[in-house]
Amino acid sequence: MEHIVIIGNGISGVTLARHIRKKSNSKITIVSAEHEFFFSRTALMYVFMGHMKLEHTQPYENNFWKKNNIDLKQGLVTAVVPASKEILLENNIRIPYDKLVLATGSKPNKYGWPGQDLQGVTGLYHKQDLEALEKWAPTTKRAVIVGGGLIGIELAEMLRARDIAVTFLVRENSFWSGVLPSGESQMINRHILEHHIDLRLETNLVEILSDDKGHVKAIVTDKGETIDCEIVGLTAGVSPNVDFLKDSGIELGRGVLVNRFLETNSKDIYAIGDCAEQHEGIDQRRPIEAVWYTGRMMGEALAQTLTGTPTQYKPGHWFNSAKFLDIEYQTYGWVWAKAKENETHFYWEHTGGKKAIRISFDKNSREFLGINTFGIRMRHEFFDKVLTEKKTVDYVMHHLAEANFDPEFFTSYNKEIQAQFTSAFNGLKTE
């Protein structure tokens, strides 16, 4: 019987195991150094804030693995040996495989800051991070968060929910300005400040200072300022968790290099999820996609291949969603921080400063290219269809109310948005 070994117990690895089991009786072993049972990383913040319990973050019952005949092994993998088709664990246990899947995810970036390994310094990625925050929070007056992305703002919201003062260091001149165009980025800056978060733009961490017990006592910024704090959250992005593969002969870039079938250069070894890197990005996607739903899709595609139906990974149109404190964000298609040469952006922001829409379209053909929405929920199916059918921006503007989750609530905004578009682009063309 074929033995499929999966390193990693996150969304990619578990989806893969589940879909293989639907189609095959192969022996499946999942090896994980983290939590015994799969849980939703994105729910960690809600556990800390008291909205959920940790067991609620587990999509499957604990007997799911046994019931589906999936063998779970806890342990840290230290090496992969393709020549003998086995993996080595830290306690010298060897596990042979017929097919091996690397689904090891990401690890938070650390940039060699002095003091980055002190007690009180954490990311927000593992269950262990949540446990550390629970331990330190009761005695914390102020936390400093380093890095202005999605995880940073989640951590800020969590700590503010416990009435801990938060200073937020953002390297750029506006929040998430590498991804968001200026209007939306400025809106989120204002929203962060309204939540009594001390936002410091264009500010970098230089050093983390220790007390006499090896715990954080303060940080120093590149502005020469010392800020007292008991927790430092490092949320300056993530990198593929691949250090243990350096001597394996498996081809690495930043992550594990794979083709469209998610195969590595080593026979019978595959990679999926955050640790996988396409030789060239698909469409305009990045070669590494550290996104929950793409990890799931890779797991589904590879399960087909490993059960006899070779299937390329085809993620379709780009979409994503997040929450900036109280403002929900969705994006479909491509809306770049700065419009490309062939693109025009239309931006509408509600006078209340909490709702906005930005639409990107081709200035020559008027083809709709993408949309950002803030505080307004849109239907995925609608935008998936218009992107596939290459509809015009005019078609989208005519049908914007249909695209909204709550058309009745949206009616008043819809007229205002259409009027502004008509005024900006000399009339709304017929479909």
Side-chain angles (χ1 to χ4, degrees):
M1 185 190 295
E2 184 173 67
H3 185 197
I4 299 170
V5 174
I6 302 164
I7 306 175
N9 199 22
I11 182 64
S12 308
V14 170
T15 300
L16 172 66
R18 203 162 55 84
H19 282 267
I20 290 172
R21 184 51 78 232
K22 283 180 184 175
K23 295 170 157 285
S24 156
N25 292 320
S26 297
K27 182 180 180 191
I28 302 172
T29 301
I30 293 181
V31 184
S32 171
E34 199 189 359
H35 191 41
E36 186 180 0
F37 299 111
F38 166 57
F39 68 95
S40 168
R41 293 192 192 286
T42 50
L44 286 177
M45 69 180 290
Y46 299 110
V47 177
F48 187 84
M49 291 166 74
H51 302 172
M52 298 173 82
K53 292 184 174 172
L54 191 63
E55 56 265 31
H56 299 154
T57 71
Q58 295 176 204
Y60 307 117
E61 297 293 325
N62 288 350
N63 70 351
F64 168 87
W65 319 98
K66 199 170 179 186
K67 198 167 77 178
N68 286 276
N69 196 19
I70 296 168
D71 187 20
L72 269 180
K73 278 205 185 322
Q74 276 198 282
L76 182 69
V77 177
T78 55
V80 171
V81 189
S84 56
K85 295 190 89 166
E86 61 185 357
I87 62 173
L88 308 182
L89 273 57
E90 60 185 341
N91 44 6
N92 285 330
I93 290 176
R94 293 169 180 265
I95 301 176
Y97 64 83
D98 294 306
K99 299 266 167 60
L100 176 66
V101 182
L102 306 167
T104 52
S106 299
K107 61 181 194 313
N109 289 334
K110 287 185 174 182
Y111 291 105
W113 292 293
Q116 67 182 17
D117 296 319
L118 290 170
Q119 287 290 304
V121 180
T122 184
L124 180 60
Y125 194 80
H126 299 293
K127 176 174 168 277
Q128 289 92 323
D129 298 334
L130 184 69
E131 289 163 354
L133 283 166
E134 287 286 4
K135 186 170 90 179
W136 299 326
T139 55
T140 296
K141 294 189 179 69
R142 177 172 295 276
V144 173
I145 296 168
V146 182
L150 299 179
I151 297 175
I153 203 162
E154 279 184 4
L155 185 53
E157 183 176 358
M158 288 163 60
L159 294 164
R160 288 300 299 131
R162 299 267 186 110
D163 289 325
I164 292 168
V166 174
T167 294
F168 199 1
L169 307 186
V170 174
R171 184 181 59 188
E172 295 82 15
N173 62 5
S174 188
F175 178 82
W176 220 30
S177 59
V179 177
L180 297 179
S182 176
E184 295 95 305
S185 180
Q186 299 286 343
M187 179 199 292
I188 303 303
N189 290 343
R190 295 193 303 269
H191 195 59
I192 290 168
L193 291 167
E194 280 170 18
H195 278 74
H196 308 292
I197 294 165
D198 174 26
L199 178 63
R200 308 284 185 99
L201 299 172
E202 296 184 279
T203 305
N204 289 289
L205 173 67
V206 171
E207 184 179 1
I208 305 169
L209 303 178
S210 175
D211 66 12
D212 55 10
K213 292 179 181 159
H215 195 98
V216 172
K217 72 168 184 182
I219 63 107
V220 180
T221 74
D222 61 352
K223 303 282 194 287
E225 189 175 8
T226 300
I227 301 170
D228 292 340
C229 59
E230 295 79 27
I231 289 176
V232 175
L234 299 183
T235 62
V238 294
S239 301
N241 186 17
V242 297
D243 290 348
F244 71 103
L245 298 169
K246 294 244 162 74
D247 301 321
S248 65
I250 297 167
E251 195 182 350
L252 304 176
R254 283 186 59 232
V256 181
L257 288 164
V258 294
N259 62 17
R260 297 290 195 255
F261 290 94
L262 305 164
E263 299 166 316
T264 70
N265 64 315
S266 288
K267 185 171 161 47
D268 295 328
I269 300 181
Y270 307 80
I272 55 177
D274 289 18
C275 72
E277 178 179 358
Q278 291 283 332
H279 288 274
E280 287 178 18
I282 298 171
D283 183 26
Q284 297 181 74
R285 290 169 177 264
R286 293 176 175 177
I288 297 171
E289 294 186 287
V291 182
W292 187 89
Y293 78 88
T294 56
R296 191 193 68 217
M297 290 168 86
M298 286 185 219
E300 289 171 358
L302 185 56
Q304 299 290 323
T305 297
L306 294 183
T307 54
T309 310
T311 302
Q312 291 192 37
Y313 166 58
K314 291 181 180 172
H317 300 296
W318 171 254
F319 72 93
N320 204 1
S321 62
K323 194 164 76 68
F324 301 109
L325 301 160
D326 307 323
I327 298 177
E328 288 189 24
Y329 158 69
Q330 291 174 297
T331 186
Y332 300 99
W334 298 109
V335 182
W336 305 105
K338 289 186 173 54
K340 296 190 172 180
E341 209 174 301
N342 63 311
E343 296 171 355
T344 295
H345 283 186
F346 163 69
Y347 182 64
W348 169 85
E349 187 178 306
H350 187 251
T351 49
K354 299 280 192 294
K355 298 181 191 300
I357 282 178
R358 181 179 298 269
I359 290 176
S360 169
F361 63 97
D362 188 289
K363 63 171 74 160
N364 302 313
S365 67
R366 294 180 79 86
E367 181 188 332
F368 169 80
L369 300 173
I371 185 169
N372 283 346
T373 72
F374 289 78
I376 294 170
R377 278 193 185 178
M378 294 291 186
R379 296 181 189 276
H380 183 156
E381 299 77 10
F382 176 87
F383 289 107
D384 208 47
K385 192 165 187 286
V386 298
L387 287 163
T388 297
E389 294 176 1
K390 298 185 181 299
K391 295 288 193 189
T392 63
V393 64
D394 308 287
Y395 176 91
V396 171
M397 294 305 298
H398 274 292
H399 294 84
L400 212 46
E402 293 167 38
N404 188 257
F405 256 122
D406 191 348
E408 197 177 321
F409 175 69
F410 187 61
T411 306
S412 55
Y413 304 136
N414 194 38
K415 293 193 175 97
E416 185 186 320
I417 293 164
Q418 285 176 327
Q420 189 178 316
F421 182 86
T422 301
S423 156
F425 296 103
N426 302 320
L428 188 59
K429 299 190 178 178
T430 57
E431 302 166 31

